[in-house]
Amino acid sequence: MNTISVPVVLPDLPPQITSRYITLSDRDGLNVHILEAFPDTSNHSSTPCHLILLLHGFPELAYSWRKVLVPIANAHQGYHVVAPDLRGFGRTTPMGSGSAGQVQYEDTLSSYHILNIVDDVCSLVRALGYSSVAMLVGHDFGSPLAGHCIVAHPELFASVVFMSAPFVGVGGPPWSQVSSEGGDDKAKERSIASSGSDISTALAALQPPRKHYTAYFSTLSANADMLGQGGKALYDFLGGYFYMKSGNWDGNDTHPLPSAFSPSPSISELAMDLATLPEYYVMPLHESMPDVVARHVRMDARVTWPGGDEVAGGVYAAEFGRTGFQGGLNYYRSALSPPPPERIAQLRALAGRRVEVPAAFISGARDWGVYQTPGAVRKVREVVCAGCMQDEDFVLIEGAGHWVQQEAPEMVVRELVRFLGKVKAL
């Protein structure tokens, strides 16, 4: 594994955080950019320390963990804390693409299947020189990614923390009852699309008609829509998007949806419930995400980067302006598409597996991500992590929204360090 050290060029990073690249030769030369922090040697011994891995979501970067990397590294006996830019994000690039290479809609989608990203994560652990990870933390899309890592490779990860998105397990392919012999591909495609298309049809039939954000993120136009003209327009769009999903926005009065309490809600009940979510989750049918944000900005001038986050906003706008959003959008496209044929057997083997290591859940109390999937909270606590997630380890942080590790870093660090202390004592 080749490594290339580069100077830190991102603003507002403590000196204890360093930036470098690690080339994963067993992953087709993927050049992974990481931010990492080691314990302060003045307060900790120089003996080798355990690894903690932090996985970001969308539209985020390794930089999203900047406020928690150092305090976690300095906790207990000290940890090596690493946050990578995931495949398709930031400065992580496939071999030969160059730093300015942009992911295209037409690129091979199988590279962004969640099990392929799991393989990236496991390869990174080995490239860092470790055979185990003390704690794996995933936020937003990084949460189901962490869950897939845990159930696919339980021997590699000692504990897991899901943030903002409850992990509901690995579902078997919806067409798993269709015989692979004879290969009725059209039947398979109809089967995987059935539940999602039924919801989409029901949402589109509402008055006013609506659509789910994951369906929008999967469209050809989403990347260009969100990039817009770049520059200040991109900065303003991201500022509005981040604000609307934060604890500051008045629209984030979160609560479980009624269908969460129904054992088998109908498609129409689900659609009506989903339509009560904020428009950044269930959008007007004929609007783009920038249209949604711009309309709310016109109604409320506060819908922009919160004070103190303007510099971070510049980083996000510059990075996504350079790379585009398509790499991250492909994660959603892949989740809504039939998996690559070579992944079907693995998905079948993982379907229904439960988390068998100590687990925690942390989110902002004003984050609709907790409740956007009816029944997900119950499933993560009572089924997927049954016996592994104690009540005190399901934590909702008051006042914080979706970007909890950036909005309430001190509270997040406190909960992660507390959980780590329990794991150490086991």
Side-chain angles (χ1 to χ4, degrees):
M1 305 294 179
N2 300 317
T3 63
I4 306 171
S5 297
V6 295
V8 173
V9 294
L10 297 171
D12 282 357
L13 290 183
Q16 203 172 325
I17 297 178
T18 56
S19 164
R20 65 175 167 128
Y21 293 88
I22 298 181
T23 301
L24 306 181
S25 58
D26 63 339
R27 301 295 302 147
D28 298 323
L30 187 70
N31 200 30
V32 180
H33 172 250
I34 67 170
L35 297 179
E36 63 184 339
F38 289 92
D40 182 352
T41 55
S42 64
N43 297 319
H44 298 85
S45 68
S46 58
T47 56
C49 44
H50 295 292
L51 176 65
I52 291 175
L53 204 56
L54 311 176
L55 308 177
H56 66 78
F58 177 85
E60 295 182 277
L61 303 161
Y63 186 77
S64 304
W65 299 102
R66 67 196 177 279
K67 296 181 181 181
V68 303
L69 276 158
V70 171
I72 297 173
N74 290 332
H76 302 309
Q77 79 276 21
Y79 296 95
H80 179 195
V81 187
V82 173
D85 284 341
L86 297 172
R87 181 187 291 265
F89 289 85
R91 302 176 183 202
T92 292
T93 54
M95 180 176 60
S97 66
S99 60
Q102 290 198 2
V103 177
Q104 302 299 315
Y105 187 88
E106 297 78 14
D107 290 350
T108 304
L109 192 57
S110 61
S111 297
Y112 300 92
H113 188 268
I114 195 164
L115 292 181
N116 197 61
I117 310 301
V118 167
D119 291 344
D120 289 348
V121 171
C122 295
S123 178
L124 176 61
V125 171
R126 294 189 296 268
L128 289 165
Y130 292 88
S131 58
S132 64
V133 178
M135 182 172 69
L136 181 65
V137 184
H139 174 252
D140 185 81
F141 204 98
S143 177
L145 173 58
H148 281 71
C149 287
I150 289 290
V151 298
H153 301 280
E155 75 288 348
L156 192 58
F157 303 97
S159 66
V160 63
V161 179
F162 306 112
M163 294 179 65
S164 295
F167 174 57
V168 295
V170 179
W175 59 91
S176 59
Q177 295 178 353
V178 177
S179 173
S180 60
E181 298 179 8
D184 187 349
D185 292 336
K186 290 185 178 180
K188 295 176 184 178
E189 291 171 5
R190 286 195 300 270
S191 183
I192 188 171
S194 60
S195 59
S197 65
D198 287 347
I199 290 288
S200 294
T201 299
L203 286 173
L206 296 175
Q207 293 300 325
R210 308 289 288 278
K211 65 187 173 191
H212 199 266
Y213 77 103
T214 57
Y216 169 73
F217 281 168
S218 299
T219 63
L220 175 62
S221 64
N223 181 52
D225 291 345
M226 294 165 69
L227 281 174
Q229 300 301 310
K232 187 176 186 303
L234 177 56
Y235 174 87
D236 289 343
F237 159 64
L238 285 170
Y241 185 77
F242 270 68
Y243 185 92
M244 287 179 65
K245 296 188 75 172
S246 76
N248 294 322
W249 193 50
D250 293 340
N252 292 328
D253 184 15
T254 60
H255 54 81
L257 299 178
S259 54
F261 304 102
S262 172
S264 55
S266 68
I267 292 293
S268 60
E269 288 173 327
L270 282 171
M272 287 187 289
D273 261 7
L274 292 175
T276 66
L277 292 170
E279 289 183 336
Y280 55 75
Y281 274 142
V282 179
M283 307 163 59
L285 181 62
H286 301 296
E287 290 190 10
S288 68
M289 191 65 78
D291 290 337
V292 170
V293 171
R295 181 158 42 78
H296 284 278
V297 169
R298 290 193 295 271
M299 292 187 293
D300 185 352
R302 295 175 300 169
V303 181
T304 186
W305 290 104
D309 281 342
E310 297 91 346
V311 171
V315 171
Y316 288 117
E319 288 295 282
F320 284 107
R322 180 177 59 81
T323 66
F325 293 98
Q326 194 61 60
L329 295 173
N330 278 352
Y331 285 55
Y332 295 93
R333 287 181 61 206
S334 178
L336 296 183
S337 302
E342 66 272 16
R343 293 291 184 183
I344 292 177
Q346 188 178 6
L347 285 169
R348 285 178 174 151
L350 297 177
R353 283 194 189 176
R354 300 186 179 191
V355 172
E356 297 180 350
V357 299
F361 179 84
I362 300 174
S363 180
R366 293 177 60 79
D367 182 1
W368 273 108
V370 181
Y371 303 113
Q372 67 154 317
T373 302
V377 169
R378 181 198 63 79
K379 189 167 185 181
V380 72
R381 300 184 73 173
E382 299 178 13
V383 180
V384 177
C385 295
C388 297
M389 181 182 291
Q390 299 179 5
D391 287 347
E392 66 177 358
D393 297 324
F394 188 94
V395 178
L396 300 180
I397 295 176
E398 290 300 323
H402 185 66
W403 323 104
V404 61
Q405 77 273 38
Q406 299 180 79
E407 297 179 60
E410 297 86 359
M411 293 293 293
V412 168
V413 168
R414 188 181 78 178
E415 293 298 336
L416 290 176
V417 170
R418 178 192 60 79
F419 178 67
L420 267 172
K422 291 176 57 175
V423 172
K424 282 180 56 185
L426 294 178

